[in-house]
Amino acid sequence: MRSRIQAIGSGVLEYGVTLLAALTVNFALPYVAPGDPLHYRLGRAVESLSVEQRAELLETYGLDQPIHIQYVDYLLGITQGELGTSVMYGQPVSDVLLQRLPWTLLLVGSALVLSTVVGTLLGGLSAWREGDRTDAALMTAHVTAESAPAFWVGMLVIAVFVSWLGWFPSYGVSSVAAGSSYIGSIASIAIHLTLPLLTLTVARIGGIYLIARGSVLTTLGEDFLLFSRAKGLSDRDVLLRHALPNSLLPIYTRFTLQLGSVVGGAVVVETVFSYPGLGLLIYDAAIARDYPLLQGAFLVLTVTVIAANVLADLTYPFFDPRTTAGNTRRAAE
Amino acid sequence: MVQRQSTRRSVLKTGIGAAAGTTLLAGCTGQIDEVTGSTPGNNALRIATDSDPGSPLNIYVSSHSKFDWMKDLVYDRLLAPSPYVDEPMPGLAKETNQVDDTTWTATIRSDASWHDGEPFTADDVVFTYRYLRDGPPTRYAHHVSEAPHIETIEAVDEETVRFKCAYPCPTLADITFADLPIIPKHVWDDVEDPSKYAGLPVGTGPYELVEYESGSHLRFEANESYFMGEPLVNEVVIPIIQDHSALFTALQSGDIDTASVGLPPSTVNKFEQNDAFDLVPATTLSLVEIRINYERAPFDKHDFRWALSRGIDKKSIVDVVMLGKAVPGSEGYPHPKSPWTAQDIGQPYKPEEARATLDELGFRDRDGDGVRETPGGEELSFTLKVPSNQSSYIRAAELVAEDLTAIGLETTAKTLDPGAIGDLFSSRNFDMYISSITPHGVADPDQFVMSHRSGYLWDKEIEYPAWDSLFEDWKQTATVAERKEVLFEMQRLFNDQPTSLPLWYPEPRFAYRPEAHDKWAESPGFGIHHKWSLLPQSVRGASVTDSFE
């Protein structure tokens, strides 16, 4: 019991230190790049500002203070749920982030689930058919997908499905002239989601496929699968009920690690499809040197990545009981 | 084993549920409101833009002049359409009078009202001008606080506002009255911090902004009781599509009706061959320029800057980079098509004279390596910085570097991210860099003078006797003609010792689907996308034309 409490305490301390370090880096990163937010806000008119006017504008956003004071204010703000005011939007950072978050969760979350499920199934199939034409075709397709830049895939998808076939809209999250029914709205969102989702899934599926294929190949060499076959189970049952489930650990690891990126958005895909998610927002904020917004977005990203790691730590024993704290220590002894 | 399987199924179900939930969550944001909101327009005119104003057209947040055409849909100015025309016509002011050298009056319309039904009054004008002069800085501020400087703004009666300047202000009507949007006192008087105000705007203009989704779109509905006449289009949607490739794909595929961005030269032929589109040329009164760090040697030498400006073959650059679809920047600074620009200025290509001038300055190639040195032996080697997101600027920078290297000034093009480019002005960490500037900078004569005080073209703290003398003359002129005369002299001086080298003046072609709207007209400085294209021809005035010559 005591060792368990110690392990939990140690874990909390580790994550606490990680969080503080990440927050510090998040605060400092935007300042490393040269620039200030006033140019974006006013354009050339910023060059007509007097020293006093410039100071007045910076004061509005708390950017007139020495950097260490800004850092302390930033940390105190976080403890009170205050992330400051976006220079680009003149709105609380939390409001701006919340406005974009659902679209990113929808796009990147869907792509993560889809690429994981399809990549795992195809990886399993490829391993099962190791060396034959199916395996070769799947391997070629996935390595190609893994190698293709997302922006290129996106442009290809637009060329085919928008410009040539005209099946899908080319931008946005919903039609600006959609019907008035709720179902119509959901359908419009789904239609607008299709191409960015396809692009992002293609961009991500290669990695999952390769991990799944390798993991299933390793599992297929285990004695218990030989025993399963000896029992007379069909190939389908051997693959789906025994080989795949016992190959999930590396896939689950990748899935949970990628969970953290769900709120980071997908800058390239969101840009190509003008999908107003967090990725596009972070890109815009970086261009505009919107320090409060960048810091807020990085904070959300950091917390999510750490939360994903915690989730992985907590749920790992569920998939592999050997990884519980006690067992790990015994194994080490 | 059974337990593990059933748990996995639960996880799968939870995942699917979460995905569906997220879909619904996304649907429950403003987007749903947008698509289920008031009379969503299957017939809405869709004019895409590449820039997010960042707010529901709050003039403090969306201060940048590139959003002027959107703000004009909602707000009106005292005179119209802009300072970039010969003679502005009445707007919210039906008449303006210069009482004496420093005093003007404006008589306002009595038939205009705000979108919320409140009557428009002289108090609104007084409030706006004082607010822009004394409030947080915006791009409008210098028009009331420095060039010119309006000391007192007061309502004489219910329909008349009097303006008293600190020094003669003959162009107050033509420039300031034609530039500043009028905002409602009854709304803004209660706003504590204008830079954080997020309410939908209340204006007097032909359109009411009814919806703004950051990063997505703006939706406008026609103001049927607009004092100049009912708009031609009932609903306007402005989708925000930042990526130009996506923007023109959307145009071609019919997802939008027109784009407020000119066609890239390489796509003009494709759109010309498409029967679904009409193309028109229209000037935007902007220019692409090389900015020079005049505080750093040898750029601080007037003759050196002259030689630099004459060493660049701008026509070749336009032919290569813009496929000939722009005007070479040889006609100098400011924009040659502004009614406020002298017609006898220029920065022509004269490489031999540039070499001779550099020789006279003592900048010679003493070691025979092709690069000139200062009399002290230091090589004249420079960096030309360029934003990494502008492919045409990058190609132009390479050609400029070749031209300057050919006259013995070794120049290297270097890309920087756009945010870093924006900081160069204040950091002064550059030799030269390429950027662009809007009509507010290059077609507005007061801004030209202001730019010599703010540091953009010159800094008022740096001694420049020839300019300072002209500036004193400029301040004393009391008529538009006299002021133009001094202004033109300033422009001649500038182009002989330029701190900005125009590379080209864009002459974009705009594509639109005539089946959606075909009453487009050109307003100088705005192209075809402005409120006058959406109003009856009878109210557009002489400066807004649909002849597209």
Side-chain angles (χ1 to χ4, degrees):
Chain A
M1 183 64 182
R2 192 175 171 186
S3 66
R4 185 168 177 78
I5 292 171
Q6 278 179 338
I8 291 173
S10 170
V12 169
L13 186 64
E14 273 179 32
Y15 282 119
V17 171
T18 305
L19 182 62
L20 185 63
L23 290 178
T24 305
V25 172
N26 288 349
F27 172 80
L29 260 183
Y31 288 92
V32 173
D36 76 52
L38 300 188
H39 186 273
Y40 180 88
R41 172 79 176 272
L42 295 176
R44 279 296 171 73
V46 76
E47 298 164 7
S48 300
L49 297 179
S50 65
V51 174
E52 295 77 22
Q53 287 174 321
R54 193 179 179 83
E56 184 186 339
L57 267 181
L58 288 173
E59 185 184 357
T60 305
Y61 303 101
L63 300 174
D64 60 326
Q65 299 290 328
I67 197 82
H68 64 281
I69 301 289
Q70 288 187 46
Y71 177 61
V72 172
D73 287 347
Y74 165 73
L75 291 180
L76 287 175
I78 288 172
T79 60
Q80 296 163 10
E82 295 283 338
L83 301 181
T85 301
S86 162
V87 180
M88 288 167 68
Y89 296 101
Q91 291 298 296
V93 165
S94 51
D95 288 0
V96 178
L97 294 175
L98 283 174
Q99 196 174 11
R100 301 292 188 96
L101 189 60
W103 299 118
T104 281
L105 288 178
L106 178 63
L107 172 60
V108 187
S110 303
L112 178 60
V113 171
L114 195 60
S115 61
T116 302
V117 171
V118 176
T120 301
L121 291 175
L122 293 179
L125 177 64
S126 201
W128 188 258
R129 300 279 184 84
E130 186 196 8
D132 74 5
R133 286 182 182 175
T134 304
D135 180 33
L138 285 172
M139 175 67 92
T140 304
H142 282 88
V143 169
T144 304
E146 180 73 3
S147 312
F151 78 89
W152 182 81
V153 176
M155 290 169 71
L156 194 68
V157 161
I158 286 176
V160 173
F161 293 103
V162 178
S163 299
W164 185 31
L165 297 173
W167 289 353
F168 293 95
S170 60
Y171 74 94
V173 290
S174 173
S175 171
V176 292
S180 57
S181 72
Y182 190 80
I183 297 297
S185 303
I186 295 293
S188 176
I189 291 171
I191 289 169
H192 281 76
L193 178 68
T194 305
L195 295 188
L197 177 59
L198 174 65
T199 303
L200 204 53
T201 301
V202 168
R204 291 182 171 215
I205 200 170
I208 285 287
Y209 163 84
L210 291 172
I211 289 174
R213 183 179 180 277
S215 183
V216 173
L217 272 179
T218 304
T219 307
L220 288 176
E222 300 285 344
D223 291 342
F224 72 91
L225 284 183
L226 187 65
F227 183 68
S228 300
R229 286 196 180 98
K231 280 201 305 182
L233 290 180
S234 67
D235 285 353
R236 185 170 174 276
D237 283 347
V238 172
L239 176 63
L240 296 182
R241 294 180 57 190
H242 295 285
L244 265 182
N246 284 286
S247 309
L248 282 180
L249 207 54
I251 298 167
Y252 181 70
T253 303
R254 183 178 168 107
F255 179 82
T256 49
L257 290 179
Q258 289 203 336
L259 264 184
S261 71
V262 165
V263 299
V267 176
V268 172
V269 173
E270 288 180 9
T271 302
V272 169
F273 291 95
S274 294
Y275 204 86
L278 276 182
L280 191 56
L281 184 71
I282 291 171
Y283 173 76
D284 291 341
I287 295 293
R289 301 292 193 264
D290 189 339
Y291 300 143
L293 185 53
L294 274 176
Q295 289 161 349
F298 288 161
L299 172 68
V300 172
L301 191 56
T302 302
V303 170
T304 311
V305 168
I306 290 176
N309 277 276
V310 172
L311 179 70
D313 279 356
L314 293 177
T315 54
Y316 234 63
F318 169 73
F319 286 92
D320 185 356
R322 292 170 300 178
T323 58
T324 55
N327 285 344
T328 305
R329 195 174 56 256
R330 275 197 296 277
E333 288 166 359
Chain B
M1 186 61 128
V2 173
Q3 187 183 6
R4 283 178 65 186
Q5 280 181 332
S6 68
T7 307
R8 262 185 234 115
R9 277 192 205 108
S10 302
V11 169
L12 187 63
K13 283 178 184 172
T14 305
I16 293 170
T22 308
T23 307
L24 294 175
L25 177 63
C28 289
T29 64
Q31 208 63 28
I32 285 296
D33 295 334
E34 173 242 319
V35 290
T36 58
S38 57
T39 57
N42 288 321
N43 296 316
L45 180 65
R46 300 159 301 175
I47 310 171
T49 180
D50 63 349
S51 301
D52 186 345
S55 79
L57 302 178
N58 174 340
I59 61 167
Y60 284 91
V61 178
S62 312
S63 177
H64 200 296
S65 58
K66 66 185 173 185
F67 304 119
D68 281 359
W69 70 279
M70 295 185 205
K71 286 177 275 188
D72 279 347
L73 295 177
V74 174
Y75 295 112
D76 284 296
R77 313 171 186 206
L78 287 179
L79 297 182
S82 72
Y84 320 132
V85 301
D86 271 326
E87 282 188 38
M89 65 179 182
L92 282 174
K94 59 185 179 187
E95 191 178 70
T96 58
N97 288 302
Q98 186 171 13
V99 178
D100 57 41
D101 291 357
T102 58
T103 309
W104 282 82
T105 59
T107 307
I108 64 160
R109 307 180 67 111
S110 54
D111 58 347
S113 60
W114 298 101
H115 293 150
D116 58 7
E118 292 290 317
F120 163 68
T121 69
D123 285 343
D124 293 314
V125 178
V126 172
F127 173 81
T128 299
Y129 273 65
R130 288 180 181 169
Y131 207 58
L132 293 174
R133 184 190 61 185
D134 305 329
T138 64
R139 82 153 190 81
Y140 307 104
H142 76 85
H143 281 301
V144 279
S145 63
E146 188 160 355
H149 178 196
I150 308 178
E151 279 187 327
T152 59
I153 304 151
E154 56 190 2
V156 178
D157 56 43
E158 285 186 357
E159 292 190 354
T160 312
V161 183
R162 182 163 57 206
F163 304 84
K164 179 79 175 169
C165 300
Y167 58 86
C169 49
T171 57
L172 187 72
D174 288 347
I175 308 301
T176 301
F177 289 174
D179 194 35
L180 273 55
I182 304 299
I183 57 176
K185 180 176 187 288
H186 66 277
V187 173
W188 286 85
D189 216 6
D190 298 329
V191 174
E192 199 170 316
D193 183 349
S195 59
K196 296 176 183 171
Y197 177 62
L200 289 170
V202 175
T204 55
Y207 286 90
E208 189 174 353
L209 179 64
V210 295
E211 186 176 277
Y212 164 68
E213 289 283 337
S214 79
S216 176
H217 67 276
L218 303 94
R219 185 189 296 279
F220 299 84
E221 287 177 2
N223 172 11
E224 292 173 2
S225 56
Y226 184 51
F227 61 84
M228 279 199 173
E230 190 177 341
L232 300 173
V233 176
N234 290 331
E235 186 176 2
V236 175
V237 174
I238 301 182
I240 300 162
I241 308 177
Q242 296 184 18
D243 182 69
H244 279 199
S245 174
L247 185 123
F248 291 110
T249 300
L251 180 59
Q252 195 176 19
S253 64
D255 289 339
I256 57 174
D257 300 312
T258 181
S260 66
V261 182
L263 294 173
S266 58
T267 65
V268 169
N269 288 343
K270 186 171 67 177
F271 278 93
E272 274 178 343
Q273 291 162 9
N274 190 330
D275 292 338
F277 294 97
D278 282 353
L279 269 65
V280 289
T283 179
T284 52
L285 291 180
S286 59
L287 59 81
V288 177
E289 62 175 346
I290 296 177
R291 295 193 60 182
I292 296 171
N293 189 352
Y294 52 83
E295 293 182 44
R296 178 181 286 185
F299 301 101
D300 57 347
K301 296 183 185 302
H302 298 328
D303 288 344
F304 181 79
R305 297 201 301 274
W306 185 93
L308 203 65
S309 68
R310 269 62 176 178
I312 300 170
D313 184 359
K314 294 157 183 174
K315 183 175 185 313
S316 293
I317 291 172
V318 166
D319 287 344
V320 172
V321 177
M322 301 299 292
L323 305 179
K325 293 182 168 63
V327 176
S330 319
E331 294 175 49
Y333 188 105
H335 199 288
K337 286 192 176 176
S338 165
W340 302 96
T341 300
Q343 295 304 300
D344 59 350
I345 58 172
Q347 297 179 20
Y349 180 47
K350 295 180 176 178
E352 291 310 318
E353 292 180 34
R355 287 189 180 92
T357 301
L358 292 171
D359 288 344
E360 287 169 18
L361 286 168
F363 298 145
R364 295 172 184 275
D365 178 15
R366 294 173 175 81
D367 55 12
D369 66 351
V371 181
R372 294 172 185 270
E373 291 92 32
T374 63
E378 190 180 344
E379 284 204 333
L380 292 177
S381 184
F382 307 116
T383 301
L384 174 59
K385 294 178 176 174
V386 60
S388 57
N389 64 343
Q390 297 280 352
S391 57
S392 61
Y393 294 8
I394 295 170
R395 184 71 187 113
E398 291 167 346
L399 297 175
V400 169
E402 285 178 16
D403 285 347
L404 294 181
T405 301
I407 60 170
L409 306 175
E410 187 180 55
T411 303
T412 308
K414 180 183 179 186
T415 56
L416 286 182
D417 86 276
I421 287 281
D423 184 55
L424 292 178
F425 170 79
S426 49
S427 71
R428 296 284 170 184
N429 181 25
F430 71 100
D431 297 321
M432 298 175 280
Y433 70 87
I434 296 183
S435 64
S436 63
I437 185 161
T438 59
H440 180 237
V442 290
D444 175 334
D446 289 351
Q447 180 62 49
F448 178 71
V449 173
M450 190 62 208
S451 295
H452 277 81
R453 302 183 58 69
S454 64
Y456 163 43
L457 297 176
W458 197 260
D459 192 318
K460 63 184 175 185
E461 303 301 326
I462 301 176
E463 194 179 355
Y464 194 174
W467 173 271
D468 295 340
S469 169
L470 284 171
F471 178 62
E472 288 308 314
D473 292 346
W474 180 87
K475 283 173 70 176
Q476 299 311 315
T477 52
T479 67
V480 172
E482 288 171 1
R483 183 151 284 192
K484 266 192 173 179
E485 198 175 313
V486 179
L487 180 71
F488 290 171
E489 200 55 43
M490 288 171 153
Q491 292 170 358
R492 291 182 194 104
L493 175 68
F494 178 83
N495 283 281
D496 279 345
Q497 310 164 354
T499 53
S500 164
L501 316 181
L503 288 175
W504 66 80
Y505 314 104
E507 291 282 319
R509 283 149 181 81
F510 295 96
Y512 63 85
R513 292 179 174 273
E515 66 182 20
H517 182 65
D518 64 353
K519 301 291 190 291
W520 299 99
E522 179 181 5
S523 180
F526 291 84
I528 64 170
H529 300 99
H530 46 76
K531 68 180 174 191
W532 306 100
S533 281
L534 306 174
L535 288 171
Q537 197 170 19
S538 58
V539 304
R540 292 175 179 175
S543 59
V544 178
T545 170
D546 56 6
S547 60
F548 299 112
E549 291 171 352

